[in-house]
């Protein structure tokens, strides 16, 4: 089945599932769009690495909502932190502007009032400050760590792991 | 279901996430690791972040009370949704900077004066720099005068303005501008400033449409006008006030109501709010709201901020913030400061910006 004569584009995810999506949806994926434009002949199937079928399900949900003018109803609340990061990477790979905005904002919202320790765990980052350096930065910016709504920091000793 | 959970996000993704965080979180997250410290302290990041959040940022109030010296940064939403009566001081400046007088705010920086020094301070980053006093200023002493603080984006330059009014009909007035980039005061010679301030206390210029605005009187005729100083063109322009503005006013000020230049006029029991629907067009002035200030303990009110639903929020020149709706009905009253003498108040935004030419990491 040649994809050029229909309005559907076939996308194959990393886990082997084929999704037939509307051309308009494929257009929101700049990476896919570039592949289509670069191909001399018509492509039957476009493989999308790093993207799994559960990602595509959510992408299609978002697309349907935004076509209906209801993109604000799209929610990633049910995703845990790793799932959200994972989805963000997939959308980043596909280079989808609107959805990328939504997801980066969702991650930012989750991090906003969290402690430094939480953020390190979230991104898998090691603390490379010495205790003295860390203490100096904390002292200088003490105001930012205060507030009823902010998660308290762990003790300095716990930072060295 | 096979799932890849890479632990590391590439730095450009992390940057995109960080751009969407508020300044306070970013200051905290400087201590996550050295890479993040460098990234967040980078002036380019600060510029991108400022541009990104410019339209969505809530304005905040900075309140500085004298005895004891306390500094509070107040978010309007939080204050009016919060049921506790006052907020704890949450910012600090070394004691040597007090007593101080706030003279303006722009792009996250506060311009203040202490003893005989001028300072520019970013409360979010803690950066504070002293600036020279104007040469004329040192001669004039502490005469009441007009001043302002603004930004010229064509040169990425911050400007301070100092106006020494004509004290008599035959004495000339002086307009001086300090450019941060040039690090020098310069008198605007070919722009005479034949105005004086009708009110005997220093008045801060309103930054609007890239110009500073002051309510003044022409010294020759005592006609009141608004004078605007365009920061890019460095030119003065007169803007007429409403024809039926009236007399016997206790105080007058300018502020921004929604997207419009607005004048407020305080009389004995009321405050009138006038709005210029079309900038610089005299006939477009309308008297928008009349508020009763009788019930306020201080019998005083200066509007400073309008919400998206056109509610008017202002200070009672004491320790409280007052909210009226656009029909003039008093909606809410909240105190934010314990000092009954009140505090100096200025609107500001939070920013990570550093001054052009300064690459000191904060």
């Amino acid at each position: 089945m040649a994809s050029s004569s229909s309005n559907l584009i076939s996308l194959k995810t990393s886990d082997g599932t084929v999704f037939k999506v509307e051309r308009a949806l494929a257009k929101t994926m700049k990476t896919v769009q570039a592949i289509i434009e670069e191909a001399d002949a018509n492509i039957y199937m476009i493989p999308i690495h790093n993207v799994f079928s559960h990602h595509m399900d959510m992408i299609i949900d978002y697309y349907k909502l935004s076509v209906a003018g209801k993109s604000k109803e799209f929610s990633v609340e049910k995703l845990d932190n790793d799932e959200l990061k994972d989805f963000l990477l997939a959308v980043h790979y596909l280079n989808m502007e609107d959805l990328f905005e939504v997801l980066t904002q969702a991650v930012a919202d989750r991090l906003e009032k969290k402690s430094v320790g939480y953020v390190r765990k979230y991104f898998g980052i090691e603390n490379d400050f010495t205790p003295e350096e860390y203490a100096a930065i904390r002292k200088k910016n003490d105001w930012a760590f205060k507030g009823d709504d902010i998660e308290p920091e762990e003790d300095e000793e716990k930072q060295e792991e | 279901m096979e799932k890849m959970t890479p632990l590391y996000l590439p730095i450009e993704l992390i940057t995109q996430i960080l751009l969407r965080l508020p300044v306070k979180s970013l200051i905290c997250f400087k201590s996550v690791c050295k890479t993040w410290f460098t990234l967040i302290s980078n002036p380019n990041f600060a510029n991108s972040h400022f541009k990104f959040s410019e339209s969505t940022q809530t304005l905040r109030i900075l309140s500085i009370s004298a005895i004891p010296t306390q500094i509070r940064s107040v978010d309007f939403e939080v204050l009016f949704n919060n049921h506790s009566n006052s907020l704890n001081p949450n910012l600090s400046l070394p004691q040597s900077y007090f007593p101080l007088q706030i003279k303006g705010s722009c792009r996250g920086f506060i311009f203040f004066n202490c003893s005989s020094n001028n300072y520019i301070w970013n409360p979010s980053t803690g950066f504070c720099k002293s600036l020279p006093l104007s040469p004329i200023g040192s001669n004039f002493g502490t005469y009441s005068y007009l001043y302002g603080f603004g930004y010229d984006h064509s040169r990425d330059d911050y400007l301070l303005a100092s106006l020494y009014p004509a004290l008599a009909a035959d004495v000339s007035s002086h307009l001086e501008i300090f450019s941060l980039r040039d690090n020098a005061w310069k008198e605007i010679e070919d722009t005479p400033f034949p105005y004086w301030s009708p009110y005997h206390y220093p008045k801060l210029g309103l930054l609007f449409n890239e110009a500073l605005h002051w309510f003044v009187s022409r010294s020759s005729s005592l006609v009141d006008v608004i004078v605007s100083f365009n920061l890019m063109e460095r030119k003065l322009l007169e803007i007429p006030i409403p024809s039926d503005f009236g007399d016997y006013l206790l105080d007058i000020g300018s502020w921004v109501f929604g997207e419009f230049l607005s004048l407020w006029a305080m009389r004995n029991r009321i405050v009138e709010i006038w709005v210029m629907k079309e900038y610089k067009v005299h006939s477009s002035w309308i008297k928008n709201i009349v508020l009763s200030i009788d019930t306020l303990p201080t019998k005083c009110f200066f509007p400073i901020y309008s919400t998206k639903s056109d509610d008017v929020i202002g200070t009672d020149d004491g320790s409280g913030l007052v909210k009226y709706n656009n029909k003039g009905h008093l909606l809410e009253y909240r105190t934010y400061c314990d000092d009954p003498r009140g505090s100096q108040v200025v609107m500001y935004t939070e920013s990570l910006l550093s001054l052009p030419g300064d690459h000191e990491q904060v």
Side-chain angles (χ1 to χ4, degrees), chain A residues 54 82-83 86 89 100-101 104-105 108 111-112 114 116 119-120 123-125 128-129 141 143-144 146, chain B residues 1 3-9 13 20-22 24-25 27-29 31-34 36 90-91 124:
Chain A
H54 57 275
D82 283 338
E83 290 168 336
D86 203 36
L89 278 166
F100 182 73
E101 276 261 349
T104 43
Q105 187 65 57
L111 296 176
E112 192 179 320
K114 295 291 194 285
V116 170
V119 172
R120 286 196 189 116
F123 291 101
I125 295 174
D128 54 356
F129 287 116
N141 299 306
W143 72 273
K146 290 191 187 136
Chain B
M1 181 165 57
K3 198 160 94 168
M4 261 177 17
T5 341
L7 217 36
Y8 307 108
L9 292 187
L13 258 195
R20 288 162 169 84
L21 282 168
K24 192 173 183 180
S25 298
I27 298 280
C28 283
F29 297 164
S31 47
V32 162
C33 68
K34 290 183 178 170
W36 281 41
N90 49 9
L91 287 175
S124 305

Side-chain angles (χ1 to χ4, degrees), chain B residues 224-281:
Chain B
D224 293 339
V225 290
I226 294 175
V227 77
S228 85
F229 179 72
N230 184 295
L231 295 169
M232 282 196 291
E233 296 158 24
R234 312 274 175 107
K235 287 212 167 72
L236 278 177
L237 188 75
E238 270 188 13
I239 298 177
I241 63 170
S243 325
D244 38 350
F245 203 52
D247 280 329
Y248 311 115
L249 298 163
L250 291 176
D251 198 1
I252 301 176
S254 53
W255 67 302
V256 180
F257 189 1
E259 299 157 11
F260 308 111
L261 179 63
S262 168
L263 279 178
W264 54 264
M266 181 160 60
R267 299 171 200 275
N268 252 322
R269 293 163 148 209
I270 60 167
V271 166
E272 291 175 359
I273 294 182
W274 295 74
V275 166
M276 191 174 225
K277 286 288 190 182
E278 258 187 82
Y279 186 53
K280 299 185 199 170
V281 175

Side-chain angles (χ1 to χ4, degrees), chain A residues 23 26-38 46:
Chain A
R23 208 167 260 275
K27 265 198 160 152
T28 68
M29 305 173 181
K30 293 202 180 116
T31 310
V32 167
Q33 196 57 21
I35 295 174
I36 295 176
E37 282 165 14
E38 265 178 41
I46 299 169

Side-chain angles (χ1 to χ4, degrees), chain A residues 96-97 121 138 141:
Chain A
M96 305 179 71
E97 220 171 281
K121 271 206 211 97
R138 268 302 298 267
N141 299 306

Side-chain angles (χ1 to χ4, degrees), chain A residues 126 128-130 133, chain B residues 30-39:
Chain A
E126 294 233 347
D128 54 356
F129 287 116
T130 66
E133 286 169 335
Chain B
K30 272 186 178 180
S31 47
V32 162
C33 68
K34 290 183 178 170
T35 307
W36 281 41
F37 182 89
T38 309
L39 172 60

